[in-house]
Amino acid sequence: MSAAQASGSTPIRAIDVIRKKRDGGELTLAEIESLVNGYTRGEIPDYQVSAWLMATLLKGMTRAETAALTDTMLRSGEVLDFSDLAARKVDKHSTGGVGDKTSLVLAPLAAAGGLIVPMISGRGLGHTGGTLDKLEAIPGFKVGIPVAQFRKILETIGCCMIGQTAEIAPADRKLYALRDVTGTVESPFLICASIMSKKLAEGVDGLVLDVKTGSGAFMKHEEQAELLAELMVETGERMGKRVVALITDMDQPIGHKVGNALEVDEVLEILRGNGPSDLRQLCLELAAWMFQLGGVSDGLAEGRKIAAQLIDSGRGLEKFREMVELQGGDLSVIDHPAKLPRASGSQEILSPAKGYVAAIESETIGIAGVILGGGRERKEDSVDPSVGIVLYKKVGDAVGHGEPLATLYYNSESRAARARPLIEQSYRISEAPPASRRPLVLRVIQGSGGN
Amino acid sequence: MSAAQASGSTPIRAIDVIRKKRDGGELTLAEIESLVNGYTRGEIPDYQVSAWLMATLLKGMTRAETAALTDTMLRSGEVLDFSDLAARKVDKHSTGGVGDKTSLVLAPLAAAGGLIVPMISGRGLGHTGGTLDKLEAIPGFKVGIPVAQFRKILETIGCCMIGQTAEIAPADRKLYALRDVTGTVESPFLICASIMSKKLAEGVDGLVLDVKTGSGAFMKHEEQAELLAELMVETGERMGKRVVALITDMDQPIGHKVGNALEVDEVLEILRGNGPSDLRQLCLELAAWMFQLGGVSDGLAEGRKIAAQLIDSGRGLEKFREMVELQGGDLSVIDHPAKLPRASGSQEILSPAKGYVAAIESETIGIAGVILGGGRERKEDSVDPSVGIVLYKKVGDAVGHGEPLATLYYNSESRAARARPLIEQSYRISEAPPASRRPLVLRVIQGSGGN
């Protein structure tokens, strides 16, 4: 009992909330609201919230606390409402990987299948790429679109891909910036609240979560990914949404291309019915779940078939073209991908031995991409859309001595010199073929809602 | 591996230090120095340090880390050097209790015994009283004395009691203020570094630590107190000092009086050879250890005898008088304690039953004292020297129905109304006498240095 408590005053004090979490207690909704709303309004200082964040990271949260935090962050800003639009609103979110360009395929594909996809995405984070950075590799493409225009585009073509607006979940923006500099990013509870508060603010009915695990993911271990997936599914269901989470493999980059313009090029390959099989398979799987949650298909097999047909018929690519047009992008790159920004220099990386690709350290590949200029080493850095890495060999592939493993595209010799050894290090060549690899989709986590 | 690390830059980043501690790693001296010195210079923001403090509280520190932190904080400011003074420099520090006024007895007593006592003390903290607040109950007594004058007084009479100066351990002052508002006060490692950095900056050869445990202490459990005591003894020894820690009982207030002027009055009683036996015993014990560490006595029994003789001969009181005089205090209160500040109102608290005092909830008594105005509810509050509580009955005493347990001295009816029920609640009366009570000194913890 403190003197202040003994004196009979009862407002919730930040220090008491911090202490309660520090000591392993379960916070009430009122306590969480008091802290988060006080912080968002600028009444509670950074240093108290960072102490609470660290206590939360180390002590964890119950499911009820996680839902309360998500709800508080969601309600800190505008919650979009597209209930006047007849079609189901379904989105997809990935926890971040290397070479993960599925969002650019899925938004138009799902819209072509009759869903509405109000997708609000982020920039590159750490070693992983960002959907907004990829979209901006298309000359003229605008991601900073006001909500009214966002709605208009959704009404017109069914999909629109934008960046977070100032009105949506301002508590998350402020908390995320603080977590980033205080070592408190990695809590599954805080990650869940951050992702779900933003995604539920989009006004969706259903949400497909791609929770990545492996060397290129934030969640290196499958159990961490499963915990996060369970938290997000349960939190979404508590809020009346249909949510499914796929735990997917991120032990090597997805597809062959890493880098903003290179990834747009690979998206166009997929939408033309070509492209790497792992990327195509992941897109079909995620699209099938979007169709399932959105009531477009009955069963996953049917959903996969619909998705494949939308690709083969060219309707997915057509929807992508409509989206690029309405968002101000240069349409000519769609038919002539060679018009996408191109780096001036390139270097091949050759295999030091004959054998098989046993592993690719994906995080290192991601960091090499950042160093080339494809991501940000510091927040204020600008992104070079043209640079990146093309991987010719993936895990399990046979490779001859001196055969090219990858090509590095760059605009700065010094950056190339820093990135090259990382790519070399990331490949592990073995004499024998690697043991059987794990499947692309490791597990599917659904709520009890019977989706 | 982050992009910054991969790029070959090597300065220690605060975020990496936070993450390492968060993940349970052992920090190097260089990492601790980087963080603490960067913070003290204003280069590292509060919010990063508070995240590190919370991670430290929850993950702990090794002995080497604790010593490194203490050393870094110590060297953040001026380290006093009294090595030119021939006599041994020995201080005593208490972790804080209710009614603990031993410092005011011990500084003059040890100086009268030939030691030099360069005592730098603090203000009331939470429910516990502060030595500076007690000294200031003597009209005119100055605790804000420059180092040059501090040295002069020590040379002249052997003891001087002042508040922390801006030059001593500035890192601790800044860290303590942050800990206070971020729920990170309670870490034994951080407490150790805070106490020891300040005490070792006093330039002492030896240090007697009174580590309190029980209902009125910060460390409620004996094991917590033992851990803190061990940490402080080991840290002090690593730095070449003679350190001993006494774990002492704080399950009831020490002596009969709680409140600044009331406690000065009780100090004078002790120095006249009267006063409560528990307080006298604790003073003799602590003084004996000071004499032991300072080489004045050979063995504790001799030390206790010397201390008792210094009281009985009046030499302790005489030294107290000299100190009050040189620090600007009103000497008349020494011979006429009734001239100390007196509260205008008083209320007796009567026993609700016949029986025995089974327990006194000391923290509640301490909080009642704060509410009466004897401590600070907010940092900016001023302290009323005259208010307080006199306890007539202590644990084990027999009491009749309606017999006075305590008297409350106050200057504000509303404060008295808030404090009174706390004092009533803090007394537990039982029919039978309580079981045997634990001794005043529970354990003595010494280093391996052979003190």
Side-chain angles (χ1 to χ4, degrees):
Chain A
M1 183 169 62
S2 72
Q5 287 169 302
S7 71
S9 59
T10 52
I12 296 172
R13 302 189 314 162
I15 182 80
D16 296 324
V17 179
I18 298 169
R19 284 203 187 108
K20 187 172 178 186
K21 179 45 66 187
R22 175 197 74 189
D23 296 339
E26 180 180 34
L27 302 183
T28 64
L29 174 61
E31 287 166 335
I32 289 171
E33 283 177 341
S34 163
L35 197 76
V36 171
N37 293 335
Y39 182 53
T40 309
R41 286 194 301 261
E43 294 163 8
I44 295 178
D46 283 334
Y47 53 79
Q48 288 192 310
V49 175
S50 67
W52 170 76
L53 287 167
M54 183 58 79
T56 300
L57 184 141
L58 290 172
K59 289 291 187 168
M61 281 186 145
T62 63
R63 302 302 162 102
E65 284 178 295
T66 310
L69 178 60
T70 305
D71 191 48
T72 303
M73 286 163 63
L74 168 67
R75 286 185 291 100
S76 72
E78 187 177 356
V79 179
L80 303 182
D81 182 2
F82 298 122
S83 56
D84 54 318
L85 304 185
R88 285 273 185 89
K89 277 67 65 180
V90 179
D91 193 11
K92 186 238 45 160
H93 179 81
S94 159
T95 59
V98 178
D100 181 7
K101 66 280 286 178
T102 57
S103 289
L104 278 71
V105 175
L106 289 165
L109 209 55
L115 296 176
I116 289 187
V117 187
M119 193 181 279
I120 301 180
S121 302
R123 304 240 164 231
L125 185 63
H127 66 280
T128 68
T131 294
L132 300 181
D133 296 329
K134 293 170 199 184
L135 288 167
E136 287 180 345
I138 301 170
F141 196 100
K142 283 179 200 61
V143 298
I145 284 179
V147 167
Q149 197 185 340
F150 184 51
R151 168 183 291 274
K152 192 98 194 287
I153 295 174
L154 289 172
E155 282 170 6
T156 312
I157 60 168
C159 64
C160 187
M161 300 176 78
I162 62 169
Q164 215 185 323
T165 73
E167 292 76 24
I168 288 187
D172 176 65
R173 206 163 35 260
K174 207 167 167 186
L175 282 171
Y176 193 86
L178 186 60
R179 286 167 59 206
D180 193 38
V181 292
T182 56
T184 51
V185 165
E186 293 87 342
S187 159
F189 309 97
L190 298 176
I191 293 172
C192 168
S194 174
I195 292 174
M196 296 303 285
S197 65
K198 282 180 294 196
K199 287 287 140 182
L200 298 179
E202 289 175 351
V204 290
D205 306 303
L207 181 62
V208 177
L209 294 160
D210 181 3
V211 182
K212 306 227 164 275
T213 184
S215 70
F218 288 107
M219 305 282 156
K220 306 289 181 216
H221 304 291
E222 200 172 331
E223 313 81 68
Q224 296 173 313
E226 282 179 5
L227 170 58
L228 175 59
E230 283 164 13
L231 285 172
M232 292 196 292
V233 169
E234 189 171 325
T235 301
E237 296 234 319
R238 275 174 184 259
M239 299 188 175
K241 307 297 178 182
R242 305 180 68 153
V243 183
V244 66
L246 279 64
I247 313 278
T248 69
D249 180 54
M250 194 11 88
D251 257 347
Q252 62 175 337
I254 298 170
H256 290 306
K257 298 183 180 177
V258 176
N260 298 302
L262 290 169
E263 294 192 41
V264 171
D265 187 25
E266 200 163 52
V267 163
L268 293 169
E269 290 174 33
I270 292 291
L271 287 172
R272 287 204 164 79
N274 306 315
S277 61
D278 61 341
L279 175 58
R280 177 183 165 95
Q281 189 199 333
L282 184 58
C283 288
L284 294 181
E285 207 62 31
L286 292 167
W289 275 105
M290 290 177 81
F291 291 142
Q292 177 76 4
L293 296 196
V296 168
S297 60
D298 185 14
L300 285 180
E302 189 189 330
R304 286 185 202 105
K305 207 172 133 191
I306 293 172
Q309 284 170 346
L310 288 168
I311 289 176
D312 296 341
S313 66
R315 287 180 57 203
L317 182 64
E318 192 47 40
K319 189 60 79 180
F320 187 79
R321 191 189 305 272
E322 291 171 20
M323 184 176 74
V324 171
E325 183 168 18
L326 289 183
Q327 296 199 235
D330 178 359
L331 288 177
S332 71
V333 303
I334 295 177
D335 298 314
H336 307 286
K339 288 188 164 185
L340 284 164
R342 291 170 78 97
S344 57
S346 67
Q347 289 179 15
E348 283 195 334
I349 293 182
L350 307 180
S351 179
K354 179 178 187 303
Y356 296 86
V357 178
I360 303 177
E361 226 300 324
S362 324
E363 183 169 342
T364 310
I365 296 282
I367 292 172
V370 171
I371 288 173
L372 287 173
R376 294 170 186 79
E377 291 188 73
R378 281 168 296 271
K379 269 198 189 113
E380 59 276 19
D381 291 348
S382 63
V383 159
D384 183 345
S386 67
V387 299
I389 304 143
V390 175
L391 310 169
Y392 305 118
K393 300 292 182 181
K394 304 262 314 244
V395 175
D397 288 350
V399 62
H401 180 266
E403 195 183 350
L405 293 171
T407 295
L408 195 154
Y409 292 91
Y410 61 92
N411 286 317
S412 148
E413 294 286 345
S414 68
R415 285 174 179 266
R418 283 166 59 206
R420 183 185 177 98
L422 295 179
I423 300 169
E424 288 168 346
Q425 287 157 26
S426 66
Y427 266 93
R428 193 156 60 75
I429 310 294
S430 62
E431 283 186 25
S436 66
R437 283 151 49 203
R438 57 181 184 180
L440 202 56
V441 177
L442 303 168
R443 227 188 115 186
V444 175
I445 292 173
Q446 290 181 269
S448 50
N451 293 324
Chain B
M1 184 169 62
S2 72
Q5 287 170 302
S7 72
S9 59
T10 52
I12 296 172
R13 301 188 314 162
I15 182 79
D16 296 324
V17 179
I18 298 169
R19 285 203 187 108
K20 188 172 176 184
K21 179 45 65 187
R22 174 197 74 188
D23 296 339
E26 181 178 33
L27 301 183
T28 64
L29 175 60
E31 287 167 335
I32 289 171
E33 283 177 342
S34 164
L35 197 76
V36 171
N37 293 335
Y39 182 54
T40 309
R41 286 193 302 261
E43 294 163 8
I44 296 177
D46 283 335
Y47 53 80
Q48 288 192 310
V49 175
S50 67
W52 171 76
L53 287 167
M54 182 58 80
T56 300
L57 184 141
L58 290 172
K59 290 290 184 168
M61 279 186 147
T62 63
R63 301 301 161 102
E65 283 178 295
T66 309
L69 178 61
T70 305
D71 191 48
T72 303
M73 286 162 63
L74 167 67
R75 287 185 291 100
S76 72
E78 187 178 356
V79 179
L80 303 181
D81 181 3
F82 298 122
S83 56
D84 55 316
L85 304 185
R88 286 274 184 90
K89 278 67 66 180
V90 179
D91 193 12
K92 185 237 45 157
H93 178 80
S94 158
T95 58
V98 177
D100 181 7
K101 65 281 284 178
T102 57
S103 289
L104 279 70
V105 176
L106 288 165
L109 209 55
L115 296 176
I116 290 187
V117 187
M119 194 180 280
I120 302 180
S121 303
R123 303 236 165 237
L125 186 64
H127 66 279
T128 68
T131 295
L132 300 181
D133 296 330
K134 293 171 198 182
L135 288 167
E136 286 179 346
I138 300 170
F141 197 99
K142 284 178 200 60
V143 298
I145 283 180
V147 167
Q149 197 184 342
F150 184 51
R151 168 183 291 275
K152 192 97 196 286
I153 294 175
L154 288 173
E155 283 172 5
T156 311
I157 61 167
C159 65
C160 187
M161 301 176 77
I162 63 169
Q164 216 185 325
T165 74
E167 292 77 25
I168 288 186
D172 175 66
R173 205 163 36 261
K174 206 166 166 185
L175 282 171
Y176 193 86
L178 186 60
R179 286 167 60 206
D180 193 37
V181 292
T182 55
T184 52
V185 166
E186 293 87 342
S187 160
F189 308 98
L190 298 175
I191 293 172
C192 168
S194 175
I195 291 174
M196 295 303 285
S197 64
K198 283 179 294 195
K199 286 287 141 183
L200 298 180
E202 289 175 351
V204 290
D205 307 302
L207 180 62
V208 178
L209 294 161
D210 181 3
V211 181
K212 306 229 164 272
T213 185
S215 69
F218 288 107
M219 305 281 156
K220 306 289 179 215
H221 304 291
E222 201 172 330
E223 313 83 66
Q224 296 173 313
E226 281 179 4
L227 171 59
L228 175 59
E230 283 164 13
L231 285 172
M232 292 195 292
V233 169
E234 190 171 324
T235 300
E237 295 235 319
R238 275 174 184 261
M239 298 188 176
K241 307 296 179 182
R242 304 181 68 154
V243 183
V244 66
L246 280 64
I247 313 278
T248 68
D249 180 55
M250 195 9 89
D251 257 347
Q252 63 177 337
I254 298 170
H256 290 306
K257 299 184 178 176
V258 176
N260 298 302
L262 290 168
E263 294 192 41
V264 171
D265 187 24
E266 199 163 53
V267 164
L268 293 169
E269 290 175 31
I270 291 290
L271 286 172
R272 287 206 164 77
N274 307 316
S277 62
D278 61 341
L279 175 59
R280 177 182 165 98
Q281 189 199 333
L282 184 58
C283 288
L284 292 181
E285 206 62 30
L286 292 167
W289 276 105
M290 290 177 81
F291 290 141
Q292 178 77 4
L293 296 197
V296 167
S297 62
D298 186 14
L300 284 180
E302 190 189 328
R304 288 185 201 103
K305 207 171 132 190
I306 293 172
Q309 286 170 344
L310 289 168
I311 288 175
D312 296 343
S313 66
R315 287 181 55 204
L317 183 65
E318 192 48 41
K319 190 59 79 180
F320 186 81
R321 191 189 304 269
E322 289 171 20
M323 183 176 74
V324 171
E325 183 167 20
L326 289 183
Q327 297 200 233
D330 177 359
L331 288 176
S332 70
V333 302
I334 294 176
D335 298 313
H336 306 285
K339 289 188 163 184
L340 284 164
R342 290 172 78 97
S344 58
S346 67
Q347 289 179 15
E348 282 196 334
I349 294 182
L350 308 181
S351 179
K354 178 177 187 301
Y356 296 86
V357 177
I360 304 177
E361 227 300 325
S362 322
E363 184 169 341
T364 310
I365 296 282
I367 291 171
V370 171
I371 288 172
L372 287 172
R376 293 169 187 80
E377 292 190 73
R378 280 168 298 271
K379 270 200 187 110
E380 60 275 18
D381 290 350
S382 63
V383 160
D384 182 344
S386 67
V387 298
I389 304 143
V390 175
L391 310 169
Y392 305 118
K393 300 292 182 182
K394 304 261 313 242
V395 174
D397 289 350
V399 61
H401 180 265
E403 194 183 349
L405 293 171
T407 296
L408 196 156
Y409 292 91
Y410 61 93
N411 286 318
S412 148
E413 294 286 346
S414 69
R415 285 174 180 266
R418 283 164 60 205
R420 184 185 177 97
L422 295 179
I423 300 169
E424 289 168 345
Q425 287 157 27
S426 67
Y427 265 94
R428 194 156 59 77
I429 309 294
S430 61
E431 281 187 26
S436 65
R437 282 152 49 203
R438 58 181 184 181
L440 203 54
V441 177
L442 303 169
R443 226 187 116 186
V444 175
I445 292 173
Q446 290 182 269
S448 51
N451 294 325

